[in-house]
């Protein structure tokens, strides 16, 4: 009988511009994880011209949160399609509602949760100087994204902290400095 391999799920959280995407790319490359970015999946939906695209674009332009059922469905599909059982989910869950829906629909809890803790002024500076700035990288939308992060995402981070699942990483310094702190977290993992 073949044994179904349960995915090893890591949630990667942090404010806008905290470096989630940058560090996930390095983790994926170094440790062989698949990298699923909620924001990227949503931007792909917009560019594919699907029926939800316009609604998603309006929400992202405002710095608001896309409805749970949309993001969960996109993530679920990607997890099902991925042959890689080691998965980084970048930028999700955004709210406690997201978290609870993921647990009930996907039916697993994350094995690990990383939080990139970065001062607000540093995040703003990075986003404003991003090459090929995104549609949501203007100061008005950035302020809104930060507000939404404090109000809705910090409670999720506090929840995982209370469960003893949170690895908090101070996300200041160069990308390499930060990856030096990320490295031991993943190097110490053992997979069956
Ligand atoms: P998303 O795409 O997830 O954006 P975000 O969370 O705002 O974060 P960013 O991607 O902007 O930043 P990051 O932390 O990945 O940093 P990065 O590595 O890029 O979400 C966008 C929108 O989609 C949301 O506002 C929401 O509307 C919607 N959405 C997403 N997920 C959702 C969900 N689950 N539910 C509902 N809605 C959802 O780095 C930023 C910049 O800084 C880059 O230019 C990078 O080169 C630079 N940089 C990185 N590290 C350093 C460093 N150490 N020093 C200097 N520069 C650095």
């Amino acid at each position: 009988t073949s044994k179904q391999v349960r995915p090893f799920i890591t949630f990667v959280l942090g404010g806008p511009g905290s470096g989630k995407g940058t560090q996930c790319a390095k983790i994926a490359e170094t440790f062989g994880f698949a990298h699923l970015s909620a924001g990227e999946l949503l931007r792909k939906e917009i560019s594919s011209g699907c029926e939800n695209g316009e609604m998603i674009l309006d929400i992202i332009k405002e710095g608001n949160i896309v409805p749970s059922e949309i993001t969960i469905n996109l993530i679920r599909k990607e997890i099902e399609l991925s042959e890689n059982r080691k998965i980084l989910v970048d930028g999700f869950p955004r709210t406690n509602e997201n978290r609870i829906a993921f647990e009930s629909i996907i039916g697993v809890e994350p094995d690990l949760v990383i939080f990139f803790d970065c001062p607000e002024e540093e995040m703003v500076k990075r986003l404003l100087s991003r090459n090929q700035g995104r549609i949501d990288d203007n100061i008005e939308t950035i302020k809104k994204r930060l507000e939404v992060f404090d109000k809705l995402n910090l409670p999720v981070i506090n929840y995982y902290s209370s469960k003893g699942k949170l690895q908090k990483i101070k996300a200041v310094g160069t990308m390499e400095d930060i990856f030096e702190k990320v490295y031991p977290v993943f190097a110490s993992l053992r997979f069956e």
Side-chain angles (χ1 to χ4, degrees):
T1 55
S2 68
K3 192 171 106 192
Q4 175 80 27
V5 183
R6 197 181 83 79
F8 183 96
I9 306 265
T10 301
F11 286 157
V12 181
L13 304 178
S18 59
K20 302 183 291 295
T22 304
Q23 295 297 324
C24 279
K26 284 178 177 269
I27 298 164
E29 193 192 344
T30 310
F31 295 102
F33 274 70
H35 175 195
L36 285 186
S37 157
E40 284 300 320
L41 290 173
L42 292 168
R43 285 186 286 276
K44 260 200 237 159
E45 283 290 281
I46 296 172
S47 55
S48 77
C50 74
E51 55 171 340
N52 286 326
E54 227 163 281
M55 186 244 293
I56 297 173
L57 176 62
D58 286 342
I59 294 174
I60 287 186
K61 269 201 297 202
E62 296 294 318
N64 280 319
I65 294 276
V66 174
S68 256
E69 64 267 25
I70 295 183
T71 34
I72 303 245
N73 263 325
L74 292 171
I75 290 170
R76 184 173 51 79
K77 264 192 240 158
E78 292 291 312
I79 292 178
E80 281 170 7
L81 285 174
S82 174
E83 290 187 355
N84 191 340
R85 298 283 77 194
K86 297 192 285 180
I87 296 174
L88 299 171
V89 186
D90 162 6
F92 181 94
R94 223 73 173 184
T95 63
N96 267 325
E97 189 220 339
N98 265 183
R99 173 181 67 73
I100 292 161
F102 182 92
E103 283 167 15
S104 68
I105 294 168
I106 316 269
V108 290
E109 290 200 16
D111 298 280
L112 176 66
V113 182
I114 308 274
F115 167 40
F116 289 111
D117 184 21
C118 188
E120 216 168 277
E121 64 272 20
E122 174 67 20
M123 296 195 276
V124 173
K125 198 173 86 188
R126 290 180 192 170
L127 293 175
L128 289 177
S129 59
R130 176 161 23 209
N131 289 332
Q132 299 171 313
R134 270 177 11 200
I135 186 154
D136 52 352
D137 284 345
N138 58 79
I139 191 67
E140 278 313 305
T141 308
I142 291 171
K143 277 191 194 149
K144 179 71 188 180
R145 285 157 69 195
L146 288 166
E147 255 174 54
V148 169
F149 170 74
D150 282 350
K151 190 166 155 222
L152 298 174
N153 207 209
L154 279 181
V156 177
I157 289 162
N158 291 334
Y159 170 85
Y160 286 122
S161 174
S162 75
K163 292 274 165 190
K165 281 197 178 165
L166 197 76
Q167 288 280 350
K168 177 164 147 174
I169 291 181
K170 198 110 197 92
V172 289
T174 66
M175 297 172 192
E176 290 75 21
D177 291 338
I178 298 165
F179 191 64
E180 264 182 41
K181 295 184 240 177
V182 170
Y183 188 94
V185 174
F186 286 87
S188 65
L189 296 175
R190 291 287 167 265
F191 299 97
E192 282 175 23

